[in-house]
Each structure stands twice: as C-alpha cells, then as structure tokens.
Amino acid sequence: MDTKYQSLEMENNKIAVGLDIGTTKIVAIIGRKNEYGKVEVVGYGRSKSVGVKRGVVTNITQTIQSIQQAVEEAEASSGIKIKEVTVGIAGQHIRSLHHSDYITRPNSEVVINAEDIERLTSQVYKLGMMPGEEIIHVIPQEFKVDSEPNVTEPIGMYGGRLEANFHVVVGQVASIRNIGSCITSSGLKLANITLEPLASADAVLSAEEKEAGVALIDIGGGTTDLAIFKDGIIRHTAVIPFGGNVITNDIKEGCAIIEKQAELLKVKFGSAWPAENKDSEIVSIPGLRGREPKEITLKNLSKIIHARITEIIEQVFQEIKKYGHDTKQGRLIAGIVITGGGAQVKHLKQLVEYITGMDTRIGFPNEHLAHDSDEELSSPIFATSVGLVMSGIEHIEQKYKGVEISTPPDDEKKVEIKVPVEVEAKPEEEVTVKLEKKNKGIFERWTDKLKDFLENAE
C-alpha cells in the first residue's frame, strides 16, 4: 500500500521569517526546520538601523528604509519573496509587574478545565494601566486551588476557588503601533509576535537551565534586556535603558574621536577588564583632515568600557535581587547567560562573575542552527533573530500540525486542507476534508490583538 500526499504546497508554508528591529541593526532571517530539528537558514539580510533609539521607533521613514534593505538582501540571498514576518517587541517602554488574582467557580463538584484558567487569565487583562499602556502578555506562574498552594497544573482538580500568581508584561500602545506602521508600510504582513527576551532565551538557553533557574542578559545596542527563568517558567523581566551604544559614545567622548572609530576600537581592541592590558599597548587612530594620528592606550580604553559595563551589570544585578535572589540567604537561580552584541566584549564573563558572584557563560545560538549554517549567524548578535525564526516555525507547526495547507484560512471558523491519505486503487484521486479550527488560547488571542494593532497602525 502506497502513501500519497494529495497536496504538495510550496516550501514557503514551512518557512518562517524572523525580523529583528534593533537599535543598531535590523536583521531578517529566512529559515525552516530540517530533518534533525535544527533551523536551516536559507537566507538572511542585515542593514544598519536608522530611526530606532533604545528599541523604540523615532523615525518611521528611516526605519522603513532600513527594514526594506534587510528584507531585500534576505530575498536576494534566498530567492524567496518575503510576505510575512515574526517580529519581536522590546525597548525601554516595556515593563513588567506581578499580580495575583482569583475566580470563584460556580460548581466545585466539576473538575477545573481550560476554560476556568482562561477566564482567570482574561480577568488579569482588565487591570487598569497607566495612560497609553496596554497589557501585552500575561504569564501564569503557579496556581492555588482552595487551600492547596504551589499547583503547577490545576486542570483535572476539584475546587471552588482558583487563584494564581501572574507575570504581567506591559508596553506602550503608541510604540507598538509605530512598529506596525513600519511593517505594513514595508509591504509586509505580521505572522507572529513575541517578546524579544523570550526569543533570545529560546535561541541560547537549554531546558535544563530554565528549570534550574537562570538569568538571561541580552546586551543590545540601545537597551539591556533581562529575563529570569525558574522551574521552566519566565519569572521576571526588565529593561535597562543602556546598551552598547552608550559604551561607544563614552569611548568617543573620552578619546575625542568620531563614532565610527570608537565603535571599531570597542569591537577590535575593547576589554571589560583593564588589568589584562599593559600601559605599553597602544593603538594609533588616523587623524582627521591631515591632522596627526591619535594614540590611545588599550588600558585607558578598557577603563572606559569597564566603567560603563559595570554600571549596566550592577543595575541588572539589582533587578535579579528584586526577584528574590540573595547570595547570603540562598540562590534562586543557578547562573547567568549573556548574549547580544554587547556579549562580544572581551573578558565580560569574568567581570560579570566578579560583580555577581554567579557562574556565567556567553550564549550562542549555534546549538539550534544546522551544522552548515553561515558561521556569522553563530554570533550572540543574532540570538534574537534566530529565536524569532524559531518562534515563527513553532507557530506554524502548532497552528497546522499534521496538515498541508492548500488554501489560505480565509474562513474564520473552517479551513480547507488536504491531508495525507492512503491510496490503493486510485492514487490520482484527491481527498479534501473540512476540519474545525481549534479554539484560540490566551496566547493566540493576545497575538491576534497585537496583530490588530499592527495591521491597523496606518
């Protein structure tokens, strides 16, 4: 007996595109999952980000141009036309809070089901926020059923009162709409949305680390994002409004050179640990308009970098302590993982370990990439971009698990699909079935709500 797939759609149905709109760069990566479960990158593009400051769009026109440049480069390298993208949300406008809430069930003789959890979670979305703010993510931490605390999975239990602690992520509606305006004006549609710290975490953290407890520090160009995981759940998030650009600016001012030279010095010769450099180590910078070259000692360069990175890490460590981590009373997390462009500074790992007293490593996204991927993509710079592609692939798999899409899901209630069928006598016959779409969960409804923001942002 032969098996025939009645509909062989284009590979694009299995392809996801991650679009990272950062402060210093915009990256578009086109990828799909290979037979080994790794991300196979079929094309990517990168452009300098102009019009974004500290993760927030400040110039719509310039940002659109940067997005189009990255997308066109990705299309040229892959031969694939990009239509939909998975976009990350980040920036200094993101904040988080913790909230407890409960519902009273009408019949405690009926077991708790998914609808009860959805009703409780939906209730949190009604919290009053500051003007211009919107709740964009509600993550249950642990539940309490009647007098039974620390319940991780309440479904199937009996109880009259269902209570839970939530991690609530809040953002500025205007900032989200501005991102949407850039995406739609670039001729793109939104396939999926995720928080950038979550995307970075997917790319560089293992399930074991998330279970044991880990703090992910993503040092970007404009901001530094913190995400703390424990028992496999994200427990705390924070955004520090400083990143690699501030370090570059300090070098520029401290050495009296132009920004381009300062960035080059930071990347090629910078170190977070001044003791590693000798006073005799000197780098010469070409003078401007015929002026004499400027000589800068690497020790002084490292002192400038050390001062600013120390400030950033100390602020991050304060946020870690807010979560409840205390070196005297006990450690709630096992260690720290650093990623992002700022993670490339030499001896950063040693400095973070010195400040926090915690085991630290640099997070690379290469574990999830196919072995033949471009070596450049293994850099911490692309952690968020790779994570966004992974999120996009997962979204496709979850939405249409086990089916091949033959027509777009225009009908809100039903989608026409063609599925694998076993054929004996007439393999040429085509079998078309109608399947009811599953009810949308909290996360899908949250994504749809943000899609409305983005698609109507014009």
Side-chain angles (χ1 to χ4, degrees):
M1 185 179 295
D2 296 325
T3 300
K4 178 184 178 183
Y5 282 84
Q6 301 296 349
S7 175
L8 296 177
E9 281 295 304
M10 290 180 62
E11 286 288 316
N12 291 2
N13 284 329
K14 298 177 182 177
I15 285 177
V17 181
L19 181 65
D20 177 16
I21 304 174
T23 302
T24 57
K25 70 186 186 313
I26 291 179
V27 178
I29 296 183
I30 307 173
R32 61 188 167 203
K33 188 176 288 187
N34 66 13
E35 56 186 312
Y36 304 106
K38 302 293 185 181
V39 175
E40 178 187 345
V41 176
V42 296
Y44 70 97
R46 177 180 178 181
S47 66
K48 183 178 180 180
S49 181
V50 183
V52 180
K53 186 175 181 181
R54 291 183 177 173
V56 177
V57 175
T58 56
N59 188 307
I60 297 287
T61 303
Q62 291 179 332
T63 304
I64 291 170
Q65 292 172 349
S66 297
I67 291 174
Q68 289 175 335
Q69 183 181 339
V71 167
E72 287 170 4
E73 189 177 314
E75 290 175 338
S77 65
S78 65
I80 295 173
K81 180 67 177 176
I82 296 177
K83 296 180 180 179
E84 294 186 331
V85 293
T86 294
V87 180
I89 295 180
Q92 62 180 3
H93 68 98
I94 299 292
R95 69 181 182 92
S96 65
L97 56 96
H98 294 276
H99 176 73
S100 295
D101 216 325
Y102 73 93
I103 59 169
T104 302
R105 302 180 66 242
N107 188 354
S108 60
E109 299 299 318
V110 178
V111 296
I112 297 170
N113 56 31
E115 289 183 1
D116 293 316
I117 295 177
E118 189 169 316
R119 183 158 66 96
L120 174 57
T121 308
S122 297
Q123 196 165 282
V124 180
Y125 278 95
K126 299 175 184 177
L127 281 174
M129 292 291 112
M130 295 173 63
E133 285 189 333
E134 180 82 16
I135 294 176
I136 59 175
H137 211 351
V138 173
I139 309 170
Q141 305 286 279
E142 57 271 319
F143 296 88
K144 182 178 180 181
V145 180
D146 289 343
S147 59
E148 186 67 33
N150 300 322
V151 176
T152 56
E153 181 52 85
I155 293 178
M157 298 179 66
Y158 290 94
R161 178 185 167 105
L162 178 63
E163 188 175 349
N165 295 323
F166 294 93
H167 180 68
V168 183
V169 182
V170 181
Q172 287 284 342
V173 177
S175 296
I176 298 171
R177 284 183 174 271
N178 286 337
I179 293 175
S181 179
C182 294
I183 292 170
T184 55
S185 298
S186 300
L188 302 170
K189 290 184 179 180
L190 182 72
N192 193 25
I193 309 166
T194 188
L195 290 171
E196 289 199 356
L198 294 180
S200 300
D202 287 341
V204 303
L205 298 182
S206 66
E208 291 78 13
E209 283 178 314
K210 291 181 181 180
E211 183 70 27
V214 66
L216 176 69
I217 304 174
D218 187 344
I219 305 177
T223 61
T224 298
D225 297 330
L226 169 68
I228 298 177
F229 292 83
K230 178 72 174 178
D231 299 326
I233 301 171
I234 187 166
R235 301 288 183 173
H236 185 69
T237 55
V239 178
I240 309 300
F242 302 107
N245 285 0
V246 182
I247 301 171
T248 302
N249 191 62
D250 285 355
I251 297 171
K252 172 187 169 184
E253 298 296 330
C255 300
I257 55 179
I258 63 175
E259 184 177 342
K260 186 177 180 180
Q261 293 172 334
E263 180 67 22
L264 196 62
L265 273 179
K266 181 183 73 174
V267 173
K268 287 205 167 187
F269 304 101
S271 168
W273 202 262
E276 293 292 326
N277 295 115
K278 299 176 183 177
D279 291 324
S280 58
E281 294 178 309
I282 297 174
V283 61
S284 180
I285 302 294
L288 298 176
R289 288 184 174 273
R291 292 182 177 87
E292 290 295 318
K294 183 182 288 290
E295 292 187 342
I296 298 169
T297 66
L298 295 189
K299 183 175 281 293
N300 284 339
L301 175 65
S302 294
K303 285 180 179 178
I304 295 171
I305 296 173
H306 172 86
R308 180 60 80 173
I309 288 186
T310 298
E311 180 185 359
I312 293 172
I313 299 303
E314 284 179 345
Q315 287 194 45
V316 171
F317 195 36
Q318 288 301 316
E319 288 291 339
I320 295 175
K321 288 178 179 177
K322 275 186 187 179
Y323 166 62
H325 179 90
D326 193 307
T327 53
K328 294 180 180 178
Q329 297 180 2
R331 297 186 174 185
L332 295 177
I333 58 178
I336 290 174
V337 176
I338 315 168
T339 193
Q344 298 180 109
V345 176
K346 296 182 185 69
H347 307 114
L348 177 62
K349 173 182 177 293
Q350 291 88 330
L351 178 60
V352 174
E353 287 181 335
Y354 176 78
I355 293 173
T356 65
M358 300 168 65
D359 290 336
T360 303
R361 74 172 178 88
I362 305 299
F364 299 90
N366 54 346
E367 180 183 342
H368 299 284
L369 293 173
H371 73 280
D372 57 349
S373 298
D374 193 313
E375 189 175 341
E376 184 185 16
L377 295 175
S378 297
S379 167
I381 291 178
F382 295 100
T384 300
S385 311
V386 172
L388 290 172
V389 174
M390 292 172 61
S391 176
I393 293 172
E394 183 182 1
H395 179 72
I396 293 171
E397 291 179 341
Q398 291 296 323
K399 193 170 184 181
Y400 300 108
K401 194 172 184 179
V403 302
E404 292 288 332
I405 306 169
S406 64
T407 56
D410 294 324
D411 185 353
E412 193 62 34
K413 294 183 178 180
K414 295 184 178 182
V415 54
E416 183 174 293
I417 57 173
K418 294 172 183 178
V419 299
V421 291
E422 294 184 344
V423 188
E424 291 185 356
K426 299 179 180 180
E428 73 280 2
E429 286 186 355
E430 188 175 274
V431 180
T432 303
V433 297
K434 295 279 186 177
L435 289 186
E436 295 288 337
K437 290 180 74 175
K438 63 180 182 179
N439 291 332
K440 294 181 179 179
I442 286 291
F443 182 80
E444 285 179 304
R445 290 196 288 110
W446 165 74
T447 302
D448 288 344
K449 189 173 184 180
L450 285 189
K451 278 185 182 180
D452 290 338
F453 280 151
L454 299 182
E455 290 170 357
N456 297 321
E458 297 166 301

